[in-house]
Structures are given as structure tokens and as C-alpha cells.
Amino acid sequence: MKVVLTPQAQADLGRIALWIGNDNPSRASSFVDELRHAAKALAGLPRGYPLIPRYERQGVRRRSYRRYAILYAVRMDKVIVLRFLEPGRDLDRALSLR
């Protein structure tokens, strides 16, 4: 199964890299690589993580990785990564459902 990152998810990775990079530039790059790897691994078990309460109809699921959330949806032949969120981010606002 193919894994696709939305433009918002790609922007999230850039924002996360900048934030971490303020303190530790080399860790910023490696952590973003880890997040990408965790997202790509969803191809092997796309329905292996739970649907998010209140977002079941949209099919939005959540995988946690080191306190960060990877929000994604499974479609016919692909996994669409919607967002990468750091701890404390407003889920409704991030998904533009508020």
C-alpha cells in the first residue's frame, strides 16, 4: 500500500524541524526522518491504529510516535497522512473541523 503525505503534513514536518532545530539542528533532521519512517510503516498495517473518537465518519486514525501524533486515513489503495502534530496541538483546529 502506498503512503502519501498531504501538503499540510509536509508543512508540519518543516515546522517541527524548525522548532527542534532551534536547540539541536542535527536532532531535528533525524527526528523528522523518524517521523517519516513511522508514517511509511503504516503501509504494512494501515488499520492497525484506532479511529479517533468523533472522527470515525471521516476515517481519521492516530498513530503516536514519541508523543507526536500522526493523523491519517486509509483509502482504497493508499494511506493518506493528514497531519503530524506535536503534543498539545488542538486536534479539531488541525483537522479544520472547528
Side-chain angles (χ1 to χ4, degrees):
M1 188 170 279
K2 184 176 180 178
V3 176
V4 178
L5 275 60
T6 64
Q8 286 178 315
Q10 292 175 10
D12 290 338
L13 290 175
R15 186 176 34 74
I16 291 166
L18 285 173
W19 176 255
I20 295 172
N22 286 328
D23 293 325
N24 189 341
S26 63
R27 181 60 181 139
S29 177
S30 65
F31 187 70
V32 166
D33 287 345
E34 289 173 24
L35 282 172
R36 282 184 194 277
H37 181 74
K40 289 182 187 270
L42 293 169
L45 193 60
R47 290 179 176 80
Y49 295 91
L51 289 165
I52 299 172
R54 296 189 346 255
Y55 298 95
E56 295 96 338
R57 281 192 12 214
Q58 294 90 350
V60 179
R61 295 174 180 272
R62 176 189 180 125
R63 177 189 176 177
S64 294
Y65 182 81
R66 297 194 176 206
R67 298 183 54 220
Y68 282 71
I70 302 172
L71 306 181
Y72 71 98
V74 180
R75 298 296 180 251
M76 299 275 290
D77 60 343
K78 60 187 164 187
V79 173
I80 301 170
V81 177
L82 305 168
R83 302 298 303 262
F84 292 92
L85 301 180
E86 63 274 5
R89 270 300 287 281
D90 184 310
L91 187 66
D92 291 332
R93 189 169 286 186
L95 292 173
S96 300
L97 297 175
R98 191 197 280 187

